[in-house]
Amino acid sequence: MIDSERLRILTESAKYDVSCSSSGSKRSGQGRMGDCSYAGICHSFTSDGRCISLLKILLTNRCCYDCLYCVNRRTADVPRASATPDEICELVMNFYKRNYIEGLFLSSAVEKSPDYTMERLLDTVIRLRKQYGFGGYIHLKGVPGADRLLIERAGKYVDRMSFNIELPSENSLRLLAPQKSKKTIITPMRQLADPIYNEPPYKNRRGFLPAGQTTQMIVGASPETDGHIIKLSQALYDNFKLKRVYYSSYVPTNFETQYLPQKQAGLLREHRLYQADWLLRYYGFSAKELLDENENFEQGYDPKCHWAIKNIHLFPIEVNTAPYELLVRVPGIGIRSAKRIVTARLSGKLDYEHLSRMRVVLKRAKHFITCNGKFFGTDDAFAIKNLLLLSHESENYEQLTLFSDNETKNSVITGEL
Amino acid sequence: MIVYEIEKSLNGLLTALFESYLYKEVPDLVSADGSYQVKFDTVIRQIKPDEERANRVKVAIMKYSNEYTLDMVRTVLRSCSERKFTVCFNYLRAIVENRRDIAYELGSAPTVEFNELKDRVRLEVHRFKGFLRFSETVDGYLFAKFKPDNDIIDLLAPHFMKRFKFHSFLIYDERRNRAVAYQNGQAKYFVPNKPIGVCFGREELDYRALFREYFDAVAIKSRKNQKLQRNFLPVRYRNSMTEFGNIQ
């Protein structure tokens, strides 16, 4: 059994990998214990509000690379530890049967060489599947620069693989992670996106990477703009069929250098990027529509509001007739609400009351829609912008005076922010 | 105000629907446990379940809708809400009244209320797929106890049967004193007549300690957000979870 000290070290080194989802795989009836739930299951939530779905752990944090942003870089003065493949397997099986976790997220620092590290990772997952009969979810971190046969072999055993793109541009990568290069990261991603893996003999009962591949990049450690980042994300989704791009806002590690900011990047920026990411994947937006390459997102309101205000001439739209594609573009109406509207309007005209009963959030949406020809919002773009800005501020208290503007007065009287 | 007092079952509910047409009235409240306030003008009807009448209603419902509706009603009846019988009654009555399935009329009041309760039960099932904690006993079977808001043990057990196909386990609902035991591919639901006591295996406490260590280590301290944590993991569930409270 692994001791708690090593578990702590190996977990603390792995926790900055944000990928936590256990969804997208339908593995069932394989192995002696465990299956996968397509929607994913969260088993707990830590004090930072993130879920525990997978056991996030490194095989070792002894690294021969020296990436400046990373806690495990060679020159960092941190406690080092390693675990054997059997220790990891035992831990996974015992956590899994107690229902603590949904599967394993296995990664490793680059020890000796990429191939050596990848072999050890592969050894662990094969052991877990074959010897221990584990049928649950496995997310394996790939090591850039490892041999393509090793990567292909891993794809047969795990549900999801990911190679981290780390930083949004080649220049930053050269500056902050000198041993990694764009080529070594992109090559395996391209390999895994190869359509050959969708056909036999790769596509068999067990499947090849049933939950696809993802990646992660650090935001705020380098000077790239939001526009640049979402353009990159879009290219990754289009070219490599990624399931997700994760963004992790930069957290300063115990190390000072002129190349890195001393301050933690804002969580709000990360949040806006995720919102934009969802718009790319589910709402039919393109990166170009959302933002120009050298622009950043407004902090005051979300990317969809930003887009809607820029394109105010398209609104208001009629909820009873507007196509689904346009409904999801209304600020405040999400995928769920849009689907509800489309279903509900089949059996009768919808008015404002119907919408609020259906729990469609109308605070923002009312400025952009008409219900049965009736409009309940404000039609001046500038006023809408201010209202949206206000509605995003959670704490907006002000003592009412004789000189308060109309906006505040209304808000005090109606209770609306 | 008209109140129907029914027996706590699907047949009881369907009989009430039959009688509301018999008396040509719509009850304001349908209750099975008498937990309502009697007002000055309250008329209470005691309704005895009647298989034949219930079946006639069932046929009518099946004519306008399908088996799925009844399945959903069974799910909603697992809810802990006091209004569940009234909500189901209104929903079924709306189907019979309109002579069509109203499952997709998402703006109409009976459907909204019905779906809300249904979603709440389903959410809890989904949550406990993750939040339930097992302990290994000396004999090597897995034991879990929990206190769900809704009566969901029957909906939850199949998930773990699939997952721990070759393992024996026992799940115990402390709030309702109901349990399910699974062994060799067979599940048995029962009401234990004495408290269930188990003797933990040798490694049980060690793995609990390891998980607590893990739980603490994996949080990023500089991004603390306990409000978010509470939203996802309500405090009332925590006392039966390994990572919170007492390790024993």
Side-chain angles (χ1 to χ4, degrees), chain A residues 8 15 34-35 43-45 47-48 54 56 94 96-99 102 270 347 357-359, chain B residues 105-107 116 129-130 132-134 136 162-163 204 207 213-214 216 219-220 223 225 229 243:
Chain A
R8 177 169 276 276
K15 70 180 172 189
D35 64 350
H43 285 254
S44 192
F45 290 87
S47 56
D48 53 12
L54 306 175
K56 243 179 239 183
N94 274 293
Y96 191 83
K97 71 179 170 202
R98 288 173 175 80
N99 208 31
E102 190 63 16
E270 183 188 299
S347 49
R357 217 184 285 151
M358 282 155 64
R359 303 270 186 277
Chain B
E105 293 173 26
L106 301 175
E116 217 155 78
K129 282 179 187 173
L132 198 70
R133 294 285 176 263
F134 285 95
E136 196 173 35
K162 227 171 86 197
R163 183 155 282 203
E204 178 58 30
Y207 277 110
E213 187 78 34
Y214 174 75
D216 187 54
I220 297 178
R223 297 182 61 159
N225 191 349
Q229 185 191 23
E243 59 270 39

Side-chain angles (χ1 to χ4, degrees), chain B residues 5-16 18-19 46-55:
Chain B
E5 270 215 354
I6 63 167
E7 193 209 58
K8 209 175 185 170
S9 68
L10 183 62
N11 272 354
L13 181 72
L14 296 177
T15 313
F18 186 92
E19 305 224 341
Q46 306 273 357
I47 291 172
K48 287 210 183 73
D50 181 324
E51 187 120 357
E52 194 221 319
R53 289 179 168 185
N55 277 337

Side-chain angles (χ1 to χ4, degrees), chain A residues 276-293:
Chain A
D277 189 79
W278 249 258
L279 294 182
L280 294 183
R281 283 186 297 139
Y282 295 117
Y283 291 73
F285 281 90
S286 69
K288 219 165 48 192
E289 278 178 294
L290 290 173
L291 214 56
D292 282 335
E293 192 157 343

Side-chain angles (χ1 to χ4, degrees), chain A residues 279 285 289-290 295 298-316 329-332 363-365 367-368 378-392:
Chain A
L279 294 182
F285 281 90
E289 278 178 294
L290 290 173
E295 264 185 310
E298 294 266 354
Q299 302 280 301
Y301 46 76
D302 61 73
K304 210 206 251 177
C305 286
H306 184 80
W307 176 85
I309 287 171
K310 267 201 299 196
N311 296 283
I312 196 77
H313 57 278
L314 297 174
F315 298 103
R329 290 186 169 227
V330 175
K363 202 156 143 192
R364 273 162 287 160
H367 305 296
F368 301 96
T378 317
D379 54 1
D380 171 21
F382 185 70
I384 294 175
K385 195 169 167 178
N386 282 331
L387 284 173
L388 292 177
L389 272 171
L390 280 171
S391 75
H392 275 280

